[in-house]
């Protein structure tokens, strides 16, 4: 184990914690910049043609915003695509589909190969949706989501990283993040929607506010399990409609608080070993707490 | 451990009876008013069935969560929700009466609503705000917080469904003017202030119209 990781492990046993430097050089974790006013504008819904293509795009839109009901076989938790991709996948700075689609095929360290856009979507299902069964690349769900993404990217240049892509990076607090302060932010700003225990809120069987940890949330393999990624998402888009209202430090603090809770196991688990899985998939994946001990509890055990 | 189930059962019976009692005690407050004569009978304006008086903009109270109704009455008192009719009534109600009448109203049936969501078509200005939002101004889809069909979520996000256009528009205007500022963290205030007059009218009419539709399974 390298000294930085060892130092990180030691420091993680108590809060506040020093954030490690983030190494990123591929498509697994995207460098994001603050969206600018000249961001790309996807087409309007009213411009959709009333033909087979238009219908497929609408189907993709419906799956994207109501994934649990429209693609139930492939969703293993309480999440919908639009929970992390605000404004139905349109909002700049919230990993918009129009900025993602033209960047594939692309290499991803996450699975160490060049991924097609269909494979990238499958990754979302496997990790963020904790899918019990990944939708086939040539099946109707991936087909419709691809059509929706393609249409949103109408007129976007291929292979050029557009402003507003991914989530804009937020610098880590110099003094490290503070879990206790994160909990305070959570109680004051987040609990009204996501509930006092992070389990979201439902109407009937539909989650209106998604669960942030626990059995119904994204799993330990999802990009959002990285504190730096969650901080970037939160800073830009949370509380919903009040993006950029939290300080950079509080975005990190509350992201760390969220991601210091147990969630479903990383489906890439190696030989049932948290340590092996951490070394292979988490040790160099941004700032995350998989396989770390926080307040005396080992994280990464998974929860069903 | 042996006595625990019985004790638990006893506790549950007690809880149920307290709730039932609260509901029963709320009825006279609703129908006849509070002990203080200034606390006029709720039913006079909100209707015998508590479904409100749409033409006059008096909201339905039936089926609203007790915690929400109780908070609104407290907020009328404090002035964080300013209203010349409700302020003196809420001030004249005792804390116990507020609790009782709120519990009683929560038990009443709410009107049925079509559970429209973001996956549905949004052809009008009102539907567009409700189901797509106006994100260029940081306005989320109404259903993102108020739930499908605007049926309400938890105790902090009240139903829009089954309310009249007059009431909904009046509330949006109250937030825009700052006479209503009792929402958690200005979550509603900042949305209302981003809307123009036409949008307020359109989205109020949209949700008012949903209540009269058939419920989709």
């Amino acid at each position: 184990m390298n000294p930085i990781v060892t130092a990180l492990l030691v420091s993680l046993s108590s809060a506040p914690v020093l954030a490690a430097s983030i190494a990123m050089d591929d498509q697994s974790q995207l460098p994001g910049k603050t969206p600018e006013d000249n961001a790309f504008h996807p087409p309007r819904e009213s411009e959709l043609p009333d033909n087979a293509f238009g219908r497929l795009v609408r189907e993709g839109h419906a799956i994207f915003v109501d994934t649990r009901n429209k693609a139930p076989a492939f969703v293993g938790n309480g999440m919908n695509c639009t929970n992390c991709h605000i404004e139905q996948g349109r909002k700049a700075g919230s990993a918009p589909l129009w900025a993602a689609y033209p960047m594939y095929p692309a290499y991803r360290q996450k699975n160490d190969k060049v991924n097609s856009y269909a494979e990238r979507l499958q990754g979302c299902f496997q990790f963020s949706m904790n899918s019990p069964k990944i939708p086939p690349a040539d099946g109707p769900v991936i087909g419709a989501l691809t059509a929706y993404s393609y249409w949103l990217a109408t007129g976007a240049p291929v292979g050029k990283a557009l402003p507003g892509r991914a989530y804009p990076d937020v610098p880590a607090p110099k003094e490290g993040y503070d879990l206790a302060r994160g909990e305070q932010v959570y109680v004051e700003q987040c609990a009204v929607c996501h509930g006092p225990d992070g389990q979201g809120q439902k109407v009937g069987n539909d989650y209106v506010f998604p669960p942030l940890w626990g059995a119904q949330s994204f799993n330990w393999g999802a990009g959002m399990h990285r504190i730096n990624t969650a901080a970037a998402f939160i800073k830009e888009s949370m509380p919903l409609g009040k993006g950029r209202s939290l300080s950079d430090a509080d975005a990190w603090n509350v992201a760390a608080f969220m991601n210091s809770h147990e969630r479903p196991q990383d489906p890439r688990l190696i030989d049932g070993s948290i340590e092996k899985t951490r070394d292979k998939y988490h040790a160099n994946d941004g700032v995350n707490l998989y396989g770390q001990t926080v307040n005396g509890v080992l994280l990464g055990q998974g929860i069903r | 451990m042996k006595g625990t189930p019985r004790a638990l059962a006893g506790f549950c019976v007690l809880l149920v009876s307290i709730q039932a009692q609260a509901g029963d005690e709320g009825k006279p407050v609703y129908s006849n008013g509070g002990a203080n004569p200034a606390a006029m009978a709720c039913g006079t304006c909100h209707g015998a069935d508590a479904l409100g008086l749409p033409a006059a903009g008096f909201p339905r109270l039936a089926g609203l969560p007790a915690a929400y109704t109780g908070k609104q009455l407290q907020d009328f008192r404090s002035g964080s929700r300013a209203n010349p009719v409700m302020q003196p009534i809420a001030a004249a109600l005792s804390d116990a009466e507020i609790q009782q009448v709120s519990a009683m109203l929560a038990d009443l049936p709410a009107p049925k609503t079509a559970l429209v969501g973001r996956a549905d078509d949004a052809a009008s200005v009102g539907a567009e705000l409700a189901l797509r939002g106006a994100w260029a101004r940081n306005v989320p889809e109404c259903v993102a917080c108020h739930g499908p069909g605007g049926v309400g979520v938890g105790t902090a996000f009240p139903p829009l469904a089954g309310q009249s256009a007059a009431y909904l528009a009046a509330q949006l205007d109250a937030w825009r003017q700052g006479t209503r500022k009792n929402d958690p963290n200005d979550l509603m205030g900042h949305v209302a202030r981003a809307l123009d007059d036409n949008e307020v009218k359109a989205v109020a009419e949209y949700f008012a119209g949903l209540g009269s539709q058939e419920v989709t399974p």
Side-chain angles (χ1 to χ4, degrees):
Chain A
M1 192 177 290
N2 74 42
I4 295 171
V5 172
T6 310
L8 183 65
L9 285 180
V10 170
S11 69
L12 279 168
S13 54
S14 65
V17 184
L18 274 176
S21 62
I22 306 158
M24 46 188 172
D25 58 355
D26 73 346
Q27 298 293 314
S28 298
Q29 180 180 297
L30 302 170
K33 297 227 161 57
T34 303
E36 291 151 33
D37 292 338
N38 63 352
F40 174 81
H41 291 288
R44 299 166 61 90
E45 216 171 310
S46 55
E47 296 169 35
L48 255 181
D50 184 18
N51 57 21
F53 174 73
R55 283 189 292 279
L56 187 63
V57 168
R58 283 180 206 283
E59 224 175 282
H61 169 267
I63 293 170
F64 196 81
V65 297
D66 193 16
T67 324
R68 297 178 78 244
N69 288 319
K70 300 291 193 281
F74 306 115
V75 181
N77 59 16
M79 309 294 292
N80 294 299
C81 305
T82 198
N83 291 145
C84 297
H85 307 271
I86 305 294
E87 196 189 1
Q88 311 114 48
R90 290 171 169 267
K91 189 172 177 287
S94 184
L97 298 181
W98 47 258
Y101 181 83
M103 296 304 285
Y104 286 85
Y107 174 81
R108 301 188 79 215
Q109 190 188 45
K110 189 159 190 160
N111 50 15
D112 192 24
K113 66 170 188 174
V114 175
N115 288 225
S116 66
Y117 189 73
E119 287 171 314
R120 179 65 191 86
L121 290 174
Q122 288 177 317
C124 286
F125 278 94
Q126 185 180 12
F127 302 107
S128 300
M129 314 303 285
N130 197 31
S131 180
K133 187 174 113 190
I134 295 167
D138 58 354
V141 168
I142 297 294
L145 287 172
T146 302
Y148 179 50
S149 307
Y150 165 83
W151 173 71
L152 285 176
T154 302
V158 168
K160 188 182 168 206
L162 290 172
R165 183 188 184 209
Y167 307 118
D169 288 336
V170 176
K174 283 192 184 71
E175 66 279 21
Y177 58 74
D178 180 339
L179 291 175
R181 170 64 191 153
E183 179 169 15
Q184 194 189 340
V185 173
Y186 183 83
V187 169
E188 288 167 2
Q189 302 257 9
C190 316
V192 64
C193 294
H194 295 284
D197 54 0
Q199 298 310 291
Q201 290 196 74
K202 292 167 97 170
V203 166
N205 288 322
D206 293 333
Y207 277 95
V208 176
F209 300 113
L212 303 183
W213 60 82
Q216 292 303 312
S217 191
F218 54 87
N219 69 38
W220 278 112
M224 200 58 79
H225 97 288
R226 288 189 299 260
I227 293 167
N228 51 301
T229 299
F233 168 76
I234 290 166
K235 170 80 186 188
E236 186 63 21
S237 295
M238 290 288 128
L240 198 67
K242 291 181 72 183
R244 300 194 206 171
S245 61
L246 293 175
S247 69
D248 289 358
D250 275 347
W252 272 81
N253 293 335
V254 76
F257 173 72
M258 170 175 87
N259 285 340
S260 66
H261 290 82
E262 197 49 78
R263 54 181 66 262
Q265 184 55 266
D266 189 334
R268 300 166 297 181
L269 184 71
I270 302 165
D271 302 336
S273 163
I274 296 172
E275 197 179 347
K276 284 185 191 173
T277 310
R278 181 189 68 226
D279 285 348
K280 175 146 187 180
Y281 293 116
H282 298 265
N284 294 307
D285 190 18
V287 181
N288 72 83
L289 292 172
Y290 182 88
Q292 318 287 6
T293 298
V294 173
N295 297 327
V297 179
L298 175 67
L299 292 170
Q301 301 185 57
I303 184 170
R304 281 172 195 272
Chain B
M1 281 305 286
K2 200 179 169 190
T4 304
R6 193 180 299 168
L8 190 63
F11 182 62
C12 288
V13 169
L14 185 70
L15 273 184
V16 169
S17 66
I18 286 171
Q19 272 190 328
Q21 214 182 3
D24 288 347
E25 287 174 2
K27 275 179 198 156
V29 177
Y30 188 83
S31 307
N32 308 323
N36 180 334
M40 296 191 301
C42 319
T44 315
C45 294
H46 293 280
D49 50 7
L51 291 177
L53 222 71
F58 300 134
R60 71 124 160 150
L61 305 176
L64 299 192
Y68 176 77
T69 306
K71 181 180 183 299
Q72 302 314 304
L73 287 166
Q74 298 288 356
D75 293 346
F76 285 128
R77 272 186 186 173
S78 77
S80 64
R81 182 173 177 180
N83 184 296
V85 177
M86 282 309 300
Q87 195 279 330
I89 295 174
L93 285 167
S94 70
D95 284 344
E97 286 169 339
I98 285 179
Q99 226 171 27
Q100 289 158 0
V101 80
S102 301
M104 169 243 158
L105 288 165
D107 285 343
L108 295 179
K112 301 284 185 203
T113 304
L115 295 177
V116 288
R118 280 177 278 210
D120 291 291
D121 286 344
S124 65
V125 172
E128 175 101 14
L129 280 169
L131 309 179
R132 301 293 186 267
W135 278 98
R137 288 170 276 159
N138 272 324
V139 174
E141 308 86 338
C142 307
V143 297
C145 294
H146 291 275
V151 293
V153 183
T155 57
F157 300 93
L160 311 175
Q163 297 294 16
S164 63
Y167 172 71
L168 293 173
Q171 296 317 299
L172 286 168
D173 284 338
W175 263 299
R176 294 164 81 198
Q177 290 152 11
T179 50
R180 184 171 180 181
K181 43 185 186 287
N182 66 333
D183 51 332
N185 302 329
D186 193 37
L187 286 171
M188 194 62 226
H190 91 93
V191 167
R193 290 192 298 276
L195 302 180
D196 66 28
D197 290 345
N198 280 336
E199 289 172 326
V200 165
K201 186 166 177 287
V203 77
E205 281 170 1
Y206 175 76
F207 279 104
L210 287 181
S212 56
Q213 292 181 15
E214 287 297 305
V215 175
T216 51

